[in-house]
């Protein structure tokens, strides 16, 4: 039990009867009587006031919250008593969540079901719990404050925010790419499945000229292709320690997961099958390739709470597992970060030895700070060392990518603000068979 502001004010008001103690013949009886009455009223108030647990509390959250966005949390309080109460309420918000209002203060009338709310901003993916509500209720007479803990546990899942600025841009890009871009590729004869033979028009690829038909008709004709449908696409997610590095306070794995969600949507939208393989030194998640909205939900359930570990990545185990589960040729988007020559050769060796039938693209994130240091103008002596070190690291990185490219592995390195868009474009390029260098975007 705590004292309310009203009780404190009444105690201060007691200095007035205390002043009567200075009057001869009255003494301290007036102050004593006042304090006794006040104490009695405080006890009565505590006894007749309901405990917080006697009210009905309910929390409503979305089953899925969006990462790095404000999400509304609703609280409902039902007052079954014939008295009006003032309530202060604090929810148990997960530690990694930002919150706009930590303490909610409001009144609830007799028989009313009051709705109050606050907003949270998750900064990590995964599953989280809202365990308890901490409540303070002002008594019927307004003299005491009764506190209590309400046990109403709720669990929520935090998914990457597919509605944020980057993905809104991507939605436009993806719509143009899928609805218009693919049609354009078809009209250009881009793809891997033969569709028809048509007359040559300026701009057509000379490689697709059908010389047999051209010889019979005396006019140029080209083979017309379209992107293959029902292809198998796998998202290989490296969750080892190389993906735990942060860029702009976001880990590389978080960037990869954000991109993977949207790539998966695009793959399903194109009529292809999408699967998932997450690994470090062991295989941690596997979802066989399939298509459809229901399958996307299953894949999302396996993808949203993937976390980086402090172990190494075993590419041989990962590619061997993929080959056992998916012997048919697939497009593989490998989200990782090859940091040196040995790392790149490990990827190449694992792919060629275990799963050479699959077409692989390594997708990694460019660190803009590293490239900024390599390109900055030298102004002081310290800049010489910093720039030299940055240039060396950039050169090593480019050599590493060259090793992969020369071995037949496509490489895409993209800046954080374009990573999702470029990952989708990388899938489209592999699907149509028109992947183009350079690997840096």
């Amino acid at each position: 039990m705590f004292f309310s502001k009203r009780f404190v004010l009444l105690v201060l008001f007691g200095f007035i009867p205390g002043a009567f103690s200075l009057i001869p013949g009255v003494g301290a009886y007036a102050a004593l009587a006042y304090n006794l009455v006040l104490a009695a009223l405080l006890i009565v108030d505590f006894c007749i006031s309901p405990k917080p647990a006697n009210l009905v509390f309910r929390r409503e959250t979305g089953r899925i919250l969006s990462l790095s966005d404000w999400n509304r949390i609703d609280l409902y309080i039902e007052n079954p008593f014939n008295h009006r109460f003032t309530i202060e309420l604090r929810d148990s918000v997960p530690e990694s969540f930002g919150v706009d209002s930590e303490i909610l203060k409001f009144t609830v009338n007799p028989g009313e079901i009051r709705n109050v709310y606050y907003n949270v901003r998750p900064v990590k993916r995964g599953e989280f719990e809202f365990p308890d509500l901490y409540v303070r209720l002002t008594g019927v007479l307004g003299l005491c404050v009764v506190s209590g803990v309400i046990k109403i546990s709720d669990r929520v899942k935090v998914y990457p925010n597919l509605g944020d600025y980057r993905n809104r841009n991507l939605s436009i890009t993806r719509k143009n790419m899928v609805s218009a871009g693919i049609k354009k590729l078809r009209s250009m004869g881009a793809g891997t499945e033969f569709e028809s033979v048509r007359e040559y028009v300026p701009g057509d690829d000379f490689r697709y000229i059908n010389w047999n038909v051209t010889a019979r008709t005396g006019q140029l004709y080209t083979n017309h292709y379209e992107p293959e449908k029902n292809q198998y696409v796998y998202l290989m997610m490296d969750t080892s320690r190389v993906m735990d590095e942060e860029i702009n306070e976001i880990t590389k794995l978080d960037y990869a997961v954000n991109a993977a969600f949207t790539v998966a949507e695009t793959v399903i939208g194109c009529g292809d099958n999408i699967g998932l393989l997450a690994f470090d030194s062991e295989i941690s998640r596997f979802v066989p390739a399939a298509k459809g909205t229901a399958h996307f939900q299953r894949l999302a359930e396996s993808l949203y709470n993937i976390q980086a570990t402090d172990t190494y990545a075993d590419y041989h185990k990962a590619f061997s597992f993929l080959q056992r589960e998916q012997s048919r040729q697939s497009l593989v988007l490998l989200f990782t970060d090859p940091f040196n020559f040995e790392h790149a050769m490990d990827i190449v060796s694992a792919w060629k030895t275990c799963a050479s039938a699959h077409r692989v693209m390594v997708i990694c994130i460019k660190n803009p700070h590293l490239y900024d240091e390599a390109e900055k103008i030298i102004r002081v002596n310290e800049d010489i060392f910093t720039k030299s070190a940055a240039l060396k690291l950039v050169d090593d990185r480019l050599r590493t990518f060259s090793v992969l490219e020369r071995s037949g592995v496509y490489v895409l390195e993209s800046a954080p603000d374009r990573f999702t868009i470029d990952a989708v474009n990388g899938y489209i390029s592999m699907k149509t068979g028109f992947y183009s260098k350079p690997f840096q975007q």
Side-chain angles (χ1 to χ4, degrees):
M1 182 182 71
F2 300 91
F3 302 134
S4 68
K5 291 182 179 179
R6 179 181 297 180
F7 182 79
V8 174
L9 291 174
L10 290 174
V11 170
L12 295 176
F13 188 74
F15 285 106
I16 296 177
F20 285 99
S21 63
L22 302 177
I23 302 175
V26 177
Y29 293 110
L32 180 60
Y34 179 86
N35 289 330
L36 288 174
V37 170
L38 192 58
L41 290 174
L42 178 66
I43 294 173
V44 170
D45 191 24
F46 178 75
C47 292
I48 65 174
S49 297
K51 304 299 183 287
N54 299 133
L55 278 71
V56 180
F57 293 85
R58 177 165 53 92
R59 182 196 295 114
E60 285 191 2
T61 67
R63 189 177 69 89
I64 297 174
L65 304 184
S66 294
L67 181 70
S68 300
D69 197 11
W70 290 105
N71 301 264
R72 174 165 165 162
I73 308 296
D74 285 284
L75 299 168
Y76 293 89
I77 302 91
E78 180 179 356
N79 177 14
F81 299 95
N82 295 322
H83 300 281
R84 182 172 181 262
F85 297 108
T86 299
I87 295 176
E88 287 188 9
L89 185 150
R90 181 172 64 84
D91 203 352
S92 297
V93 178
E95 184 178 351
S96 62
F97 284 29
V99 59
D100 62 351
S101 300
E102 292 189 2
I103 297 178
L104 303 175
K105 186 173 182 179
F106 55 93
T107 59
V108 55
N109 296 317
E112 179 187 10
I113 299 178
R114 179 67 185 273
N115 169 230
V116 295
Y117 69 90
Y118 64 97
N119 297 290
V120 296
R121 187 172 183 268
V123 296
K124 292 183 178 180
R125 292 176 293 100
E127 187 170 1
F128 300 89
E129 181 183 13
F130 291 77
D132 304 317
L133 288 174
Y134 295 89
V135 181
R136 287 186 177 183
L137 181 147
T138 303
V140 173
L141 302 180
L143 300 179
C144 70
V145 176
V146 184
S147 63
V149 179
I150 309 300
K151 302 288 186 179
I152 49 169
S153 177
D154 290 287
R155 301 192 72 83
V156 298
K157 298 175 180 179
V158 177
Y159 278 26
N161 180 16
L162 300 181
D164 63 11
Y165 176 76
R166 292 193 304 266
N167 291 326
R168 284 199 298 272
N169 286 343
L170 176 62
S171 296
I172 298 173
T173 302
R174 187 173 68 244
K175 287 178 182 177
N176 292 337
M177 177 71 73
V178 175
S179 64
I182 293 295
K183 293 178 182 177
K184 183 177 180 181
L185 288 171
R186 285 173 180 161
S187 68
M188 294 171 58
T192 56
E193 286 191 344
F194 176 79
E195 184 187 42
S196 62
V197 177
R198 61 171 172 78
E199 288 189 18
Y200 173 86
V201 296
D204 283 347
D205 196 323
F206 288 108
R207 293 177 297 174
Y208 298 143
I209 293 177
N210 189 315
W211 295 109
N212 291 330
V213 177
T214 298
R216 288 199 305 268
T217 62
Q219 292 183 333
L220 283 175
Y221 278 83
T222 61
N223 292 330
H224 182 58
Y225 297 88
E226 66 176 4
E228 180 184 349
K229 298 178 181 178
N230 204 36
Q231 289 181 301
Y232 285 79
V233 182
Y234 271 90
L235 304 171
M236 286 186 68
M237 311 295 295
D238 180 356
T239 63
S240 66
R241 51 178 169 258
V242 299
M243 298 297 285
D244 201 29
E245 179 186 347
E246 291 188 354
I247 299 176
N248 299 330
E249 299 182 351
I250 302 175
T251 66
K252 291 182 176 180
L253 183 60
D254 282 330
Y255 282 112
V257 171
N258 290 349
F261 263 86
T262 311
V263 170
E265 279 191 319
T266 307
V267 170
I268 290 176
C270 288
D272 290 335
N273 300 274
I274 183 69
L276 170 69
L277 174 63
F279 67 99
D280 47 23
S281 58
E282 302 291 337
I283 307 299
S284 57
R285 307 282 173 89
F286 179 71
V287 178
K291 61 175 63 175
T293 303
H295 176 70
F296 176 78
Q297 292 301 322
R298 288 193 296 271
L299 187 141
E301 284 292 315
S302 296
L303 183 61
Y304 82 96
N305 60 352
I306 289 177
Q307 302 295 334
T309 66
D310 60 354
T311 58
Y312 66 94
D314 191 334
Y315 296 102
H316 283 79
K317 182 175 292 185
F319 278 110
S320 295
F321 184 90
L322 177 63
Q323 182 63 29
R324 287 197 304 271
E325 299 294 331
Q326 179 64 42
S327 58
R328 179 177 175 178
Q329 185 187 65
S330 303
L331 309 181
V332 177
L333 304 181
L334 173 56
F335 291 89
T336 186
D337 187 37
F339 56 88
N340 59 24
F341 174 83
E342 290 76 13
H343 194 170
M345 288 306 300
D346 191 23
I347 295 174
V348 172
S349 174
W351 167 58
K352 288 189 174 182
T353 304
C354 307
S356 59
H358 301 290
R359 295 169 58 200
V360 179
M361 173 182 283
V362 169
I363 304 178
C364 50
I365 301 174
K366 177 191 295 185
N367 188 335
H369 306 299
L370 174 62
Y371 288 86
D372 288 344
E373 289 294 330
E375 295 173 1
K376 76 176 182 179
I377 299 174
I378 297 176
R379 301 185 185 279
V380 295
N381 291 336
E382 289 76 7
D383 291 343
I384 299 175
F385 173 78
T386 303
K387 181 167 184 172
S388 298
L391 286 171
K392 176 64 166 62
L393 291 174
V394 169
D395 183 65
D396 289 346
R397 195 165 179 83
L398 297 181
R399 290 175 183 272
T400 299
F401 295 157
S402 296
V403 169
L404 293 168
E405 291 276 18
R406 289 196 302 269
S407 301
V409 176
Y410 301 118
V411 179
L412 172 65
E413 184 188 42
S414 178
D417 58 344
R418 287 193 50 86
F419 188 70
T420 299
I421 295 175
D422 289 338
V424 171
N425 289 339
Y427 152 69
I428 295 293
S429 299
M430 291 186 72
K431 174 180 174 63
T432 58
F434 274 80
Y435 179 76
S436 60
K437 299 179 183 180
F439 44 75
Q440 288 200 49
Q441 303 290 328

